[in-house]
Amino acid sequence: MFSRILPFSVHIIRGHSMQPHIKEGERVFVSNWTYAFSQPKVGDVIVFCGSDNKTYVKRIIAVAADKKSFFVEGDNRSDSKKLPPISRKAIIGKVVASY
């Protein structure tokens, strides 16, 4: 994936699943290299590639004991697609700002 080569990327939010933290149409500034130096942790908002090859923005709500898979959910629980656990390799980066 090209975005992993560069240290930062920008993604436009589509949907309401991260409201009120991030609103539809906002852009998120993503640090693509954050997890090269640290482990993803509960509470981090991440961008990742789903099994359907779509890009998602969700919050990590739990980390598997082996730290190789992560459970994610949108902040707007009533409008958040239920996704299976994601692998560490699927994570593009950590959201560091929105505008």
Side-chain angles (χ1 to χ4, degrees):
M1 206 178 248
F2 183 70
S3 64
R4 292 184 187 176
I5 297 169
L6 300 173
F8 295 100
S9 58
V10 175
H11 300 266
I12 299 172
I13 301 302
R14 305 278 181 236
H16 304 280
S17 71
M18 287 303 294
Q19 286 189 21
H21 181 70
I22 304 170
K23 296 172 181 56
E24 183 172 24
E26 286 186 334
R27 289 171 171 76
V28 290
F29 192 64
V30 177
S31 173
N32 300 331
W33 293 357
T34 295
Y35 298 127
F37 308 106
S38 66
Q39 290 293 319
K41 57 187 175 297
V42 172
D44 287 354
V45 177
I46 60 169
V47 173
F48 64 94
C49 186
S51 59
D52 56 2
N53 289 324
K54 291 183 180 179
T55 302
Y56 292 92
V57 177
K58 302 288 181 187
R59 186 177 303 278
I60 297 175
I61 59 167
V63 178
D66 63 7
K67 298 186 192 281
K68 292 183 180 177
S69 61
F70 300 86
F71 299 89
V72 295
E73 196 169 76
D75 287 352
N76 182 356
R77 303 286 194 267
S78 65
D79 189 31
S80 181
K81 182 177 180 179
K82 302 299 180 210
L83 298 169
I86 61 163
S87 72
R88 174 85 160 72
K89 293 186 282 186
I91 297 174
I92 295 169
K94 180 179 179 178
V95 173
V96 293
S98 62
Y99 59 96

